[in-house]
Each structure stands twice: as structure tokens, then as C-alpha cells.
Amino acid sequence: MKTIEVLIIGAGPSGMVSALCLAKLGISSLVVERNTTLNPHPKAHELNARSIEILSELGFSYEELEGEASPKSDGARILICNTINEEFGRIDLEEDEERQEKYTRHLRAKRPYLNISQTALESIILQKVQAEPLIEVLFGHQWESLEEFESHVSSQILYLEENRSFHVQSQFVIAADGARSPCRRFLEIPMEGPENIQEFVSAYFETNLRNHVEVPAKLYWILNPRAAGT
């Protein structure tokens, strides 16, 4: 039996940032993550200004975040194409002077957004989480169930490598375990809106395409019916 103030299910950005926010208030937490390490497959890719401000409040320097982000001009540009070099149109936030003035007037962050891979961001956050004595992270540990009592919550955790279960007693539980949250389903909390909007296939490869594209951008919306995608 482990005892902690707050149990956090999921070591994604939401779970780890929650742990850091709690630690800033002197509150200890245990983060359990069913994967054995951070998932290397690309997911989200952009930080908005409010997220940058929150991370800055938690001690992340703008420079370390910007160091993992794509160049500013790339991050400002979205292309709509037939193929990657046959452009129909574009959105370029740097060309919009009115938008730039609004950013300067309303935001504290140096830039209104950073085009940074979630995988890179998670690695940066994890380093700070692991250096915080009030936070413990257990990878390869799957949350199974919970039972609420008047004074605490008792959660059952499965240590996957040994197929061994144990209980964690906490004052609170934060379910940061994603859109298909097992915790939400266990508690029978309905999801608002459709469960499945559309099916996607993601192909992940690593190579430098900069010499093959005429206009660098953060997204290419390809409308060619033979191979539509992003």
C-alpha cells in the first residue's frame, strides 16, 4: 500500500503539468503511466500562448522550449495543396499585421505559439518532473480501478512487468489518461459529443524534406483525391 496526497493517472503533458502545479503548492503526487516510457509517436505539435505562460510559471525557460520548436516562419504557415508543391492557398500568420499587433498588445509570451512536437515537449517536462522531490513517476504501471471512502480514495494499480497489483491511497485522483480514459469509463462519466468523429491512419517517418519543398510550413493540407491527407 502506497499513500500519497494526489494520484495522477497518465504521464502525458496534462498529467505531468498537473504534478508540477501541485508541487509548486507543496502537494505531493504519484504519476502512474501504463507505457514503459514516453510514447515516441508524434501527436500534437503546437503550444499556444497560454500554455507557454503556464510552463513559464512552472520554471521552463522560453529558450529551452524554443530550442525544440521549428523556425518561426515555418510555424506561422499552413498550406492547402494538390501535392506538396502545388499550392492552392495558404494561411500565413506573419503576413497578418493586425493579428501581429493584437498578439503584441495582449500576450506576455515572446511568441503567440511554438510549433513543437509533443514528444519533444514531454521529454522536457519529464526532466523537470523527475527532478522534483514531491513527484514520483511510475512507468509500466496501469491504473485498474478505484474505491471511494469518506477520508480517501483507494486505487488498484497493476505493475505490468511482474503482473502484480497493489493499492495506492490518496486524497484525490486526477484522470489524465486521455480521450478514451479508462478512469472515466470506470466511473461511468459519459463523454459529451460523438465518441468517434473520423478514422485516421498515421504514417511516421524520419527524413529531412526541406530540400524537397518549395515553401516550408508546419502543415500541408493535401486535397488530392488520390492521396488526401495532412
Side-chain angles (χ1 to χ4, degrees):
M1 168 78 76
K2 291 179 70 72
T3 302
I4 196 74
E5 289 180 89
V6 179
L7 172 67
I8 300 173
I9 309 167
S14 297
M16 290 194 290
V17 167
S18 295
L20 289 170
C21 288
L22 290 169
K24 190 174 181 181
L25 298 172
I27 299 170
S28 62
S29 63
L30 170 66
V31 183
V32 293
E33 168 59 52
R34 64 183 177 183
N35 292 313
T36 55
T37 184
L38 294 177
N39 189 338
H41 199 283
K43 297 177 279 286
H45 66 93
E46 187 159 307
L47 279 179
N48 61 26
R50 185 66 186 120
S51 296
I52 296 170
E53 290 171 355
I54 291 169
L55 291 173
S56 297
E57 290 290 326
L58 293 171
F60 294 86
S61 71
Y62 186 83
E63 288 69 27
E64 67 181 319
L65 296 174
E66 189 176 37
E68 292 292 339
S70 65
K72 182 180 179 182
S73 58
D74 292 14
R77 199 176 292 126
I78 298 170
L79 266 58
I80 297 92
C81 320
N82 181 47
T83 67
I84 208 164
N85 285 328
E86 296 178 280
E87 179 185 336
F88 295 143
R90 69 174 66 178
I91 299 170
D92 193 332
L93 300 179
E94 287 199 322
E95 291 180 352
D96 188 333
E97 293 184 5
E98 182 179 342
R99 186 185 299 268
Q100 292 298 316
E101 189 276 331
K102 184 174 72 172
Y103 287 153
T104 303
R105 181 160 30 98
H106 290 294
L107 300 179
R108 285 188 297 157
K110 295 180 182 179
R111 279 168 58 182
Y113 49 82
L114 287 171
N115 188 45
I116 176 173
S117 166
Q118 182 175 327
T119 55
L121 177 64
E122 287 177 351
S123 296
I124 295 171
I125 298 174
L126 180 60
Q127 291 178 31
K128 195 169 292 292
V129 163
Q130 292 177 326
E132 172 54 61
L134 287 173
I135 305 172
E136 181 182 2
V137 183
L138 297 178
F139 285 98
H141 286 69
Q142 181 171 293
W143 177 90
E144 297 277 271
S145 63
L146 63 76
E147 186 175 1
E148 294 185 74
F149 299 91
E150 286 190 10
S151 61
H152 66 276
V153 181
S154 180
S155 296
Q156 181 172 313
I157 309 297
L158 176 64
Y159 178 25
L160 294 170
E161 184 176 341
E162 298 182 359
N163 195 30
R164 172 175 57 84
S165 293
F166 61 93
H167 285 85
V168 173
Q169 180 176 305
S170 62
Q171 297 299 307
F172 299 95
V173 174
I174 295 177
D177 48 348
R180 299 182 183 272
S181 168
C183 185
R184 175 176 60 82
R185 293 181 184 275
F186 177 85
L187 294 171
E188 298 181 344
I189 299 172
M191 181 173 178
E192 295 183 8
E195 286 259 346
N196 188 11
I197 298 174
Q198 193 172 353
E199 298 288 346
F200 293 90
V201 174
S202 178
Y204 173 37
F205 63 95
E206 294 181 334
T207 191
N208 186 356
L209 295 178
R210 188 166 290 272
N211 293 330
H212 300 280
V213 297
E214 294 176 3
V215 181
K218 67 180 173 187
L219 284 176
Y220 299 84
W221 290 95
I222 298 173
L223 304 182
N224 190 320
R226 292 181 300 164
T230 308

